[in-house]
Amino acid sequence: MNPSLIAAGFFFAAVLIAIGYFIGRRRRKVTKSIPEGPIIQEDERQRMLGLLEGLSRWTNEYSGNVSNYQSELGELSDAMRISLHQSRSGAARNGRANENQQASDARMVTLINQIMSTNTELQTRLEAAEQQLEEQTEQIQSYLTEARTDGLTGLFNRRAFDKKLDEMFSAYRAGGKSFTLILMDIDHFKMINDTHGHPIGDVVLQQISQRLGHGMQDAEIVSRFGGEEFAILTYLPIRAAADKVNKLRDRIANDSIEAGSAELQVTLSVGLSTPHEDLVIGPIVRRADEALYSAKNMGRNRVYFNDGNGAQLINAPEVVRS
């Protein structure tokens, strides 16, 4: 068999493998996981719609590039088959095999060069397309992250927390596991802002958030509930959760926070609750609030829990006896 035909065959196989590789890579890029987002509000829905419309326009253009490339390859392949057929027919008619073979080889070289040029052009387009697709994906991921995250502290925001609470309560009502809601508040935070200024207050919020995140890594969600208040959801039983958060509260109270030139002792008041034959979420949040206010009213820097039997101080003698 003519070496040129063998080379052409290997080249076509390489082209097909390259196409499969590039398209496969892009499919994997497109299916990159995106974290589940919160319920989208109207203004955010419009922003997301704009992102998706941009992505749709780009994918249509990309699809057209690949379609055009496949069409060009088909035309070149047909032309090569015609060239081979003409060469063989000419050799059969007049026996001028060498002359026809040379003409056929020249035609195939031209066609192969055209294929290589087309392949190079598509590769350039694919590389540009990959970069654009990654940028589009990063924009959507960034939007979803912003929609679920508190900008100052990096914790989940109130919206993400409410969504998680709804999910866990629905699962509980369907026969799933119980859970514990933890609400906590930075004591005398207004005084910190008034005395040292809001930038120092922001540093305090960031430092406390970091310590809560590290101290409650096994929680389902740690969030900034609003202002100086934080909310946590965990599957730990309420007394185990109260004990754990009490130890964390004690570490924070005994470890000063450096903010600029100030060195502050910051304490937390904490309230916990758990579902107690509740049909809706409201009573669970209300009991945690009651426990939190008990902690504040009884001197702050302490943990109270409410398991449906009223607010109780963690590690209080009456609790230990029970």
Side-chain angles (χ1 to χ4, degrees), residues 84-98 100-101:
L84 288 173
H85 176 72
Q86 290 175 344
S87 174
R88 290 167 182 165
S89 298
R93 283 196 306 270
N94 53 33
R96 298 169 60 186
N98 288 336
N100 287 331
Q101 187 64 58

Side-chain angles (χ1 to χ4, degrees), residues 138-181:
E138 288 173 0
Q139 286 181 6
I140 294 174
Q141 288 177 321
S142 175
Y143 165 73
L144 293 175
T145 298
E146 289 174 4
R148 303 175 68 226
T149 306
D150 176 65
L152 176 65
T153 65
L155 296 178
F156 286 103
N157 60 20
R158 172 69 178 270
R159 184 179 301 159
F161 172 84
D162 287 342
K163 186 173 187 295
K164 188 65 176 179
L165 179 57
D166 285 339
E167 292 173 356
M168 293 176 70
F169 182 72
S170 296
Y172 165 76
R173 289 288 301 162
K177 294 189 295 184
S178 185
F179 59 88
T180 298
L181 165 63

Side-chain angles (χ1 to χ4, degrees), residues 1-13:
M1 183 179 290
N2 189 288
S4 297
L5 296 180
I6 296 175
F10 278 115
F11 181 79
F12 273 120

Side-chain angles (χ1 to χ4, degrees), residues 24-97:
R25 282 183 63 195
R26 276 118 193 115
R27 284 177 179 171
R28 287 193 293 272
K29 292 285 186 183
V30 171
T31 56
K32 183 177 179 181
S33 62
I34 298 177
E36 181 185 2
I39 298 172
I40 305 299
Q41 301 300 315
E42 182 59 33
D43 58 335
E44 295 162 342
R45 186 179 294 110
Q46 293 300 322
R47 181 181 174 189
M48 177 61 74
L49 181 61
L51 289 173
L52 294 178
E53 287 176 346
L55 182 58
S56 177
R57 287 192 298 271
W58 176 84
T59 52
N60 286 335
E61 179 184 349
Y62 172 72
S63 176
N65 287 340
V66 174
S67 178
N68 291 338
Y69 177 74
Q70 290 174 332
S71 177
E72 289 178 27
L73 279 183
E75 291 174 3
L76 292 172
S77 178
D78 290 342
M80 182 169 284
R81 278 195 293 269
I82 292 171
S83 176
L84 288 173
H85 176 72
Q86 290 175 344
S87 174
R88 290 167 182 165
S89 298
R93 283 196 306 270
N94 53 33
R96 298 169 60 186

